[in-house]
Amino acid sequence: MRASIASFLSSALLLTQQVAAAPTNTSITNETTVEDIGGGASARTLGGASIFEWTYKRWNGANYACKCAPGDLCWPNQLQWKLLNATVGGNLQVSIPPAASCYNTFQGLLGNISTYDAAKCAEAQANFPSEQWQIELPTAGLWTYFTNDTCRPTTNPTDSCTGGYFPTLYIKAKTIAHIQAGVLFAKNQNLRLVIRNTGHDFLGRSVGWGALVINTHGFKDISLTNSYRGACDYTGSAITVGAGVQAFEALKKLNSLSPPKIMVTGECATVGVAGGLVQGGGHGPLTNFYGFLADTALEFKVVTADGVLRTANAKVNPDLFWALKGGGPSAFGVIVQATYKTFNDYFSSGTTFALGPANVNGNETLWWDAIAKFHSYSNQFVDNGLYVYYEIYPGMTFRVQPVVGVNKTAAQLEAILQPLFDDWTAMGITFDKATTTYPTFYDLYNALFEIEAAGNSALTGGWTFGKTDVANNNAGIIDSFKNVLNNGAFLVGHMWNGGHGLPQSEWANSAINPRFRNVSDKLITILPLAGNAPLAEKEAAQRVLTDIVDGGLRAAGPNGAAYINEADPFQPNWQTAFWGTNYPKLLQIRQKWDPSGVFYSVSTPGTEKWEQIEYGTRLCKKL
């Protein structure tokens, strides 16, 4: 797969490809050099402006001004790309999909390249479901729907491998200066910019047709302190992490202390803890105790849209600090470093159980009655400090793994669950359960939370239920669950309350939707669908997800909200669903820090006029 960018551009197809054709994907190879990747015109100098600054399009009866893409007159010329590559230390590279090595030819926006490599193809086939393998790749999307499902592993190398919705080029940033250079280049050249750390994302934010990616995964520094000294009154223990640090790395470092410490993270160990997670809020098994990850943030180092590295904390740039804490991923800047509170780790207990057809003698009505009884205890579970992770699939599959009781013995945890178990027994339901106590929460986390898989393709939605919804309409909620399964989707539930253990005086210190302080259950809905399905099928599936699957949840939970990292970005009134009464303030802050729209992430503050037109390719602003 050794080739120069010059060879990509030698093809006349580079400047003549039609955007409306099947979208194309890109990923990178460390052997690619940057030469000759310019466009067909040099109408604008770096930082200047001209009539070629935008590509103007008409689509579905509306006029748009679009970011520059390969083939446009405003696409940077050869010299500009070479200068950028020199500025970032030779770390600008062309992107090729993870499994392109299984195909004879990769057909990208920058031309064609011969890619078949039997050994690398075997590696891709073996590792494609591995999250960590995909995370280490510079532009891979862990869930493939928003890549157009292009170039999946194949045994037929003559199959077509196109770029899909993958980015075109990326900077594998090694220093903060590299990030700054990438942000300024994207701003001055009016390019679509994607910030990518782990690619751990359901909504396609880590990929984007024709985009330049800044990959921050290499920032792995971790430092710890027992006595934080910063811009706030907090003086306890803290951890400072680089943008590329993942949950399992931070938790391992904290566990090595004596006594061990812990921090709020997501339930998935491979998620990065200093980027999209905190900017979306960051819920996890410790949310009942300490709130969201965003609630524990003490300070950020962030590159803003003007390319300046800034400090954001309670006293320096406090508006930016507030917005970065749950105000939307890739919306206000590139976080390069984050500092969070840490906490003492405690012994913890975990329980697992499941119900299938055999537990109810094949009686589906009884199975649903059992789930209804389980869900009716949501408020009691979170009020007692429990975290509950569960799944509901077609085929009468209901799994709970785990129920987490931090600082609780097995007996204490089971005492909280016993009323549910008594009710099930009285209903004639048989079931097995297992409860184990671990020396620390860290040990429980590693033992009971299962490793997630990459390579799945699906539309993702979701909703939360307020405590009043559960108390007043549990039957309606269960009907909405049935509706999800009846329409081909399935459910992943997380019972927690974002205000339970956090003092109410601190609730407004982050941009998180205030409704999350009064919820007891957060659902993810997953509707499997191939990313390369026919357009009509995609449109129909999106309508089912938005209007029927999630529509039923919204109707059953009028006091709920949506979580930006795990929800349908195309739902109605997304501004209120994601941020509630905080949205007007977030919009003002976005207009202050990024008035020209350098950063983009679907359905985040200030993106109302932005669309991906021409079948999900060009990123444009409606005129």
Side-chain angles (χ1 to χ4, degrees):
M1 292 173 62
R2 185 175 184 83
S4 70
I5 294 181
S7 68
F8 296 165
L9 298 182
S10 63
S11 171
L13 291 176
L14 173 63
L15 300 180
T16 60
Q17 291 185 62
Q18 295 298 313
V19 178
T24 33
N25 157 299
T26 51
S27 181
I28 43 186
T29 163
N30 291 330
E31 300 178 82
T32 302
T33 60
V34 176
E35 303 171 8
D36 232 9
I37 56 175
S42 181
R44 183 182 60 173
T45 59
L46 197 67
S50 79
I51 60 171
F52 298 124
E53 186 172 355
W54 297 86
T55 294
Y56 295 95
K57 293 284 181 177
R58 187 166 179 80
W59 179 253
N60 287 342
N63 295 319
Y64 293 88
C66 303
K67 297 271 189 178
C68 301
D72 294 340
L73 290 174
C74 59
W75 181 251
N77 62 37
Q78 173 184 346
L79 177 60
Q80 290 168 322
W81 284 116
K82 285 185 175 180
L83 288 173
L84 174 63
N85 189 42
T87 303
V88 298
N91 289 298
L92 174 67
Q93 303 199 29
V94 172
S95 160
I96 299 170
S101 56
C102 296
Y103 298 79
N104 289 334
T105 305
F106 165 59
Q107 300 167 300
L109 288 180
L110 299 180
N112 296 341
I113 178 175
S114 298
T115 50
Y116 185 75
D117 184 312
K120 290 184 178 179
C121 177
E123 178 187 353
Q125 289 172 328
N127 292 288
F128 202 75
S130 166
E131 280 194 341
Q132 195 59 35
W133 183 80
Q134 298 241 20
I135 284 168
E136 299 301 329
L137 300 174
T139 57
L142 272 63
W143 279 44
T144 60
Y145 179 84
F146 287 102
T147 70
N148 203 46
D149 250 348
T150 187
C151 301
R152 295 183 70 89
T154 182
T155 57
N156 182 7
T158 64
D159 285 346
S160 175
C161 175
T162 65
Y165 299 133
F166 272 91
T168 302
L169 297 138
Y170 73 91
I171 298 168
K172 194 168 186 179
K174 303 292 181 62
T175 68
I176 292 173
H178 295 169
I179 296 174
Q180 292 173 294
V183 169
L184 284 175
F185 190 83
K187 176 183 179 181
N188 293 332
Q189 303 300 325
N190 200 24
L191 306 180
R192 180 172 183 179
L193 180 64
V194 169
I195 311 303
R196 197 267 192 191
N197 172 17
T198 65
H200 210 297
D201 168 52
F202 296 131
L203 310 183
R205 297 187 307 239
S206 296
V207 297
W209 183 91
L212 171 67
V213 168
I214 299 176
N215 182 291
T216 64
H217 189 59
F219 290 73
K220 291 287 191 179
D221 291 343
I222 301 176
S223 63
L224 306 173
T225 180
N226 286 323
S227 182
Y228 177 76
R229 294 292 182 268
C232 61
D233 295 333
Y234 179 77
T235 58
S237 60
I239 183 171
T240 299
V241 295
V245 174
Q246 294 170 258
F248 73 88
E249 295 167 321
L251 294 174
K252 182 178 180 180
K253 185 76 170 180
L254 290 168
N255 183 254
S256 70
L257 298 174
S258 182
K261 295 285 186 177
I262 201 71
M263 67 178 291
V264 176
T265 67
E267 57 85 16
C268 181
T270 59
V271 173
V273 293
L277 179 67
V278 67
Q279 291 174 84
H283 71 85
L286 298 176
T287 292
N288 257 10
F289 285 86
Y290 309 114
F292 291 79
L293 176 61
D295 293 318
T296 71
L298 296 168
E299 183 173 277
F300 299 110
K301 301 293 185 183
V302 57
V303 176
T304 47
D306 55 4
V308 176
L309 176 66
R310 288 184 162 85
T311 297
N313 57 40
K315 293 183 179 179
V316 180
N317 299 314
D319 61 337
L320 181 60
F321 181 54
W322 181 83
L324 289 170
K325 296 187 294 181
S330 296
F332 299 94
V334 185
I335 295 176
V336 299
Q337 186 183 87
T339 301
Y340 301 107
K341 297 176 183 178
T342 60
F343 309 94
N344 292 330
D345 201 355
Y346 299 100
F347 70 88
S348 300
S349 297
T351 298
T352 62
F353 50 89
L355 294 180
N359 301 103
V360 292
N361 294 319
N363 185 333
E364 186 173 5
T365 299
L366 181 59
W367 183 76
W368 276 115
D369 289 343
I371 294 175
K373 182 60 66 175
F374 161 80
H375 198 269
S376 71
Y377 281 96
S378 301
N379 293 343
Q380 289 93 319
F381 290 159
V382 299
D383 286 347
N384 280 278
L386 302 187
Y387 170 90
V388 184
Y389 182 93
Y390 68 96
E391 300 163 333
I392 303 176
Y393 295 97
M396 296 172 64
T397 301
F398 172 63
R399 299 176 68 240
V400 179
Q401 183 170 337
V403 180
V404 179
V406 177
N407 201 23
K408 287 182 171 58
T409 64
Q412 290 172 324
L413 175 57
E414 290 209 352
I416 298 171
L417 296 173
Q418 195 59 47
L420 167 66
F421 296 150
D422 291 343
D423 286 342
W424 277 358
T425 299
M427 295 166 67
I429 297 169
T430 60
F431 58 94
D432 294 318
K433 58 181 173 62
T435 302
T436 305
T437 301
Y438 297 86
T440 64
F441 168 78
Y442 176 75
D443 292 302
L444 181 151
Y445 185 81
N446 288 326
L448 294 184
F449 285 92
E450 298 174 321
I451 297 174
E452 296 182 2
N456 297 309
S457 182
L459 285 171
T460 305
W463 192 248
T464 61
F465 293 113
K467 297 180 75 172
T468 54
D469 296 326
V470 174
N472 299 331
N473 190 35
N474 192 62
I477 290 173
I478 299 305
D479 285 341
S480 73
F481 285 8
K482 296 176 183 178
N483 178 63
V484 170
L485 268 62
N486 289 339
N487 282 280
F490 57 93
L491 289 160
V492 177
H494 315 70
M495 292 180 182
W496 46 254
N497 180 275
H500 175 74
L502 188 72
Q504 190 168 351
S505 60
E506 298 181 24
W507 287 3
N509 290 348
S510 72
I512 292 166
N513 191 331
R515 285 195 171 192
F516 282 122
R517 308 305 182 182
N518 291 291
V519 304
S520 61
D521 192 12
K522 179 204 160 297
L523 275 299
I524 302 175
T525 53
I526 301 170
L527 181 62
L529 180 68
N532 57 4
L535 180 61
E537 186 176 338
K538 285 185 173 183
E539 291 177 342
Q542 184 64 60
R543 287 193 296 270
V544 168
L545 178 74
T546 300
D547 299 334
I548 301 176
V549 170
D550 281 3
L553 299 180
R554 292 192 298 269
N559 297 290
Y563 179 71
I564 179 59
N565 286 351
E566 298 163 337
D568 175 16
F570 307 110
Q571 65 186 284
N573 303 314
W574 55 264
Q575 297 91 336
T576 301
F578 291 138
W579 291 286
T581 55
N582 286 336
Y583 188 78
K585 182 178 177 180
L586 283 168
L587 185 59
Q588 290 179 346
I589 296 172
R590 176 65 181 272
Q591 290 168 343
K592 171 185 174 181
W593 289 103
D594 185 16
S596 61
V598 173
F599 301 112
Y600 173 78
S601 178
V602 61
S603 297
T604 51
T607 60
E608 283 84 353
K609 290 186 177 181
W610 289 92
E611 290 183 43
Q612 295 177 86
I613 69 167
E614 295 182 343
Y615 308 111
T617 55
R618 290 187 179 274
L619 179 61
C620 308
K621 180 179 281 190
K622 193 171 184 178
L623 298 176

